[in-house]
């Protein structure tokens, strides 16, 4: 029963994804991946129940498929975090192992039915070397793409902290669930406890994958991303010499103190770069070197200090702490409380109580 349920869930979510409106690139990759998972689960079911012996043309088709899921994980994570290579033809290289396996199996697919069944029932008799290489292919692609996806996710986290002053709308939880969910599946497969538990794990993973994939929580706010891309090339030809970094840093501090740009709640590093007429990469480098902070920490430090200044003014103490936080550039109560506690070791309420009792 679990097999039928698992396949049905995969097909159901596949249809929901197909009919999802306003699909983006990562949605399309997920549609292809869910289709491959559905096919793989069906072939697994046929193999587990020995039904494939009644349909011998299916024998062998499931063997290369485990190597495709690591590739699809990488493509989905890379697409969701905008880290796919510009040259899309390079993506075809990722499909070489699974394509090579299918090509190698062509002579087997063309064998007479009785001979195919005989080889299958004798654990791949005559294909022992191929089966060993295939096992290594499973391990290398599974673990390799798993690690690669984690690297992409960590790189993405670093990138957004160097570009955005507010990351409240940037949610990486879905991708973390996806990456570590795949890791759990590979652990279950490697332990090789029982095919039933393999299928059960995959079924649960498919349910989570379909549920979050349809919701498609943004991991990069499109509106802000478009703004960043629009500004990115503006100052590409500008150069920053080492002896000018201190000058740029002083200009940056002057800009922050005079114009208080940090009060803009969706401030991007590109916005500051535009004001200073310098490439965002150079500005990020200066902030990291001179302040020892990323852009997110740099801007929110100014916001915290501005909040401290405002809340110390008696007439402002009649206002709510949240309204003052918004005035300083924070975009939500949760982001304000979280960063203030991280920066000062106190909650805003604790800090307010301390200064009002002095």
């Amino acid at each position: 029963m679990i097999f039928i349920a698992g396949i049905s869930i995969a097909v159901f979510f596949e249809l929901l994804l197909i009919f999802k409106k306003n699909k983006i690139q990562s949605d399309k990759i997920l549609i292809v991946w869910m289709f491959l998972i559905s096919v793989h689960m069906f072939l697994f079911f046929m193999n587990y129940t020995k039904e494939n012996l009644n349909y011998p043309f299916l024998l062998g088709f499931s063997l290369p498929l485990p190597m495709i899921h690591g590739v699809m994980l990488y493509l989905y994570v890379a697409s969701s975090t905008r880290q796919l290579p510009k040259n899309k033809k390079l993506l075809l290289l990722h499909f070489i192992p699974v394509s090579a396996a299918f090509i190698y199996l062509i002579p087997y697919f063309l064998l007479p039915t009785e001979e195919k069944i005989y080889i299958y029932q004798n654990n791949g008799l005559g294909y022992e070397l191929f089966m060993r290489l295939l096992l290594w292919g499973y391990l290398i692609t599974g673990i390799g793409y798993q690690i690669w996806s984690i690297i992409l996710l960590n790189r993405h986290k670093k990138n957004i902290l160097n570009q955005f002053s507010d990351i409240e709308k940037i949610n990486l939880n879905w991708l973390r669930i996806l990456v570590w969910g795949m890791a759990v599946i590979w652990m279950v497969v490697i332990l090789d406890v029982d095919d039933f538990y393999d299928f059960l794990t995959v079924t649960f993973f498919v349910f989570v994958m379909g549920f979050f994939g349809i919701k498609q929580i943004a991991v990069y706010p499109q509106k802000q991303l478009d703004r960043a891309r629009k500004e990115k090339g503006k100052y590409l030809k500008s150069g920053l010499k080492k002896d000018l970094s201190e000058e740029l840093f002083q200009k940056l501090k002057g800009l922050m103190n005079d114009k208080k740009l940090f009060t803009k709640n969706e401030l991007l590093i590109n916005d500051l770069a535009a004001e200073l007429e310098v490439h965002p990469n150079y500005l990020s480098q200066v902030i990291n070197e001179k302040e020892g902070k990323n852009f997110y920490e740099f801007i929110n430090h100014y916001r915290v200090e501005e909040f401290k200044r405002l809340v110390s003014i008696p007439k402002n103490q009649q206002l709510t702490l949240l309204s003052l936080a918004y005035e300083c550039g924070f975009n939500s109560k949760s982001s304000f409380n979280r960063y203030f506690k991280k920066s000062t070791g106190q909650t805003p309420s604790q800090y307010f109580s301390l200064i009002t009792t002095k």
Side-chain angles (χ1 to χ4, degrees):
M1 187 65 183
I2 186 66
F3 296 97
I4 303 299
I7 295 169
S8 300
I9 289 171
V11 173
F12 174 69
F13 281 128
E14 169 72 6
L15 293 173
L16 289 181
L17 286 166
I18 289 173
F19 291 105
K20 178 183 176 181
K21 294 181 179 180
N22 303 318
K23 288 187 284 289
I24 57 178
Q25 185 181 52
S26 57
D27 289 323
K28 296 173 183 177
I29 292 174
L30 190 59
I31 287 172
V32 174
W33 191 9
M34 190 65 75
F35 171 75
L36 293 171
I37 290 175
S38 301
V39 171
H40 196 177
M41 292 177 76
F42 172 74
L43 293 174
F44 183 92
F45 165 73
M46 296 293 284
N47 182 65
Y48 188 83
T49 59
K50 305 301 181 184
E51 279 294 317
N52 53 2
L53 295 176
N54 297 322
Y55 304 93
F57 64 90
L58 294 175
L59 294 175
F61 273 101
S62 64
L63 290 176
L65 287 180
M67 291 191 293
I68 201 67
H69 299 301
V71 176
M72 297 309 297
L73 173 66
Y74 156 73
L75 292 178
Y76 185 76
V77 172
S79 175
S80 298
T81 58
R82 274 70 176 183
Q83 295 184 75
L84 282 174
K86 292 181 180 179
N87 186 352
K88 297 300 187 288
K89 292 181 180 179
L90 293 176
L91 297 178
L92 296 176
L93 298 176
H94 297 283
F95 296 92
I96 289 178
V98 67
S99 300
F102 273 115
I103 292 171
Y104 184 85
L105 285 171
I106 289 176
Y108 172 78
F109 296 144
L110 299 177
L111 289 174
T113 298
E114 295 76 12
E115 194 172 345
K116 287 177 65 176
I117 293 176
Y118 178 80
I119 293 172
Y120 167 78
Q121 290 180 329
N122 288 274
N123 300 315
L125 182 66
Y127 288 82
E128 291 85 359
L129 177 60
F130 171 75
M131 296 300 290
R132 284 196 293 271
L133 291 175
L134 202 58
L135 179 59
W136 279 105
Y138 296 163
L139 294 175
I140 292 171
T141 57
I143 297 173
Y145 281 107
Q146 186 74 39
I147 293 172
W148 197 349
S149 298
I150 292 172
I151 291 172
L152 289 180
L153 200 54
N154 290 335
R155 185 189 299 167
H156 176 64
K157 182 178 179 180
K158 182 178 179 181
N159 287 340
I160 60 179
L161 290 174
N162 278 317
Q163 293 184 50
F164 297 92
S165 63
D166 177 44
I167 59 173
E168 191 71 15
K169 297 177 183 178
I170 304 174
N171 195 314
L172 298 178
N173 290 338
W174 156 226
L175 288 183
R176 291 193 187 101
I177 291 171
L178 185 66
V179 171
W180 291 110
M182 279 290 292
V184 170
I185 290 177
W186 279 110
M187 287 176 62
V188 172
V189 171
I190 290 171
L191 291 173
D192 197 24
V193 178
D194 187 276
D195 287 345
F196 175 81
Y197 293 106
D198 293 351
F199 197 92
L200 185 64
T201 305
V202 172
T203 299
F204 179 74
F205 177 73
V206 166
F207 181 82
V208 174
M209 187 178 175
F211 177 76
F212 283 100
I214 291 167
K215 291 179 64 176
Q216 190 62 57
I217 301 172
V219 295
Y220 225 146
Q222 190 62 43
K223 183 178 178 181
Q224 293 188 20
L225 178 65
D226 291 340
R227 285 172 55 203
R229 283 178 172 172
K230 185 176 180 181
E231 296 288 339
K232 187 176 181 181
K234 273 186 152 184
Y235 309 98
L236 192 58
K237 295 182 180 179
S238 65
L240 178 67
K241 297 178 181 179
K242 290 183 179 180
D243 58 347
L244 295 178
S245 62
E246 181 61 32
E247 180 182 345
L248 175 59
F249 182 56
Q250 295 304 322
K251 286 183 179 180
L252 172 62
K253 290 200 298 184
L255 183 67
M256 298 298 287
N257 292 326
D258 296 339
K259 290 192 174 183
K260 296 185 182 296
L261 291 183
F262 54 85
T263 58
K264 183 179 179 181
N265 57 31
E266 290 189 350
L267 183 70
L268 301 175
I269 195 168
N270 303 73
D271 299 328
L272 288 186
E275 290 281 344
L276 294 166
E277 297 187 344
V278 66
H279 190 273
N281 289 353
Y282 297 138
L283 182 56
S284 178
Q285 178 185 337
V286 167
I287 293 173
N288 278 267
E289 290 179 352
K290 299 294 184 179
E291 287 283 333
K293 298 182 176 72
N294 54 49
F295 177 70
Y296 171 79
E297 293 168 334
F298 175 73
I299 295 300
N300 283 286
H301 172 76
Y302 270 93
R303 289 170 175 169
V304 167
E305 293 304 311
E306 178 69 3
F307 174 82
K308 290 179 180 179
R309 187 187 71 82
L310 291 179
V311 81
S312 66
I313 300 173
K315 67 175 184 178
N316 289 336
Q317 294 174 2
Q318 300 176 6
L319 303 173
T320 65
L321 299 183
L322 188 57
S323 65
L324 292 177
Y326 285 148
E327 190 174 337
C328 297
F330 287 102
N331 206 24
S332 70
K333 181 179 180 179
S334 59
S335 61
F336 167 55
N337 288 338
R338 182 171 59 251
Y339 195 83
F340 192 92
K341 178 72 179 291
K342 178 182 177 181
S343 178
T344 65
Q346 300 173 301
T347 65
S349 299
Q350 289 171 336
Y351 179 82
F352 179 74
S353 298
L354 186 63
I355 64 170
T356 53
T357 54
K358 287 184 179 180

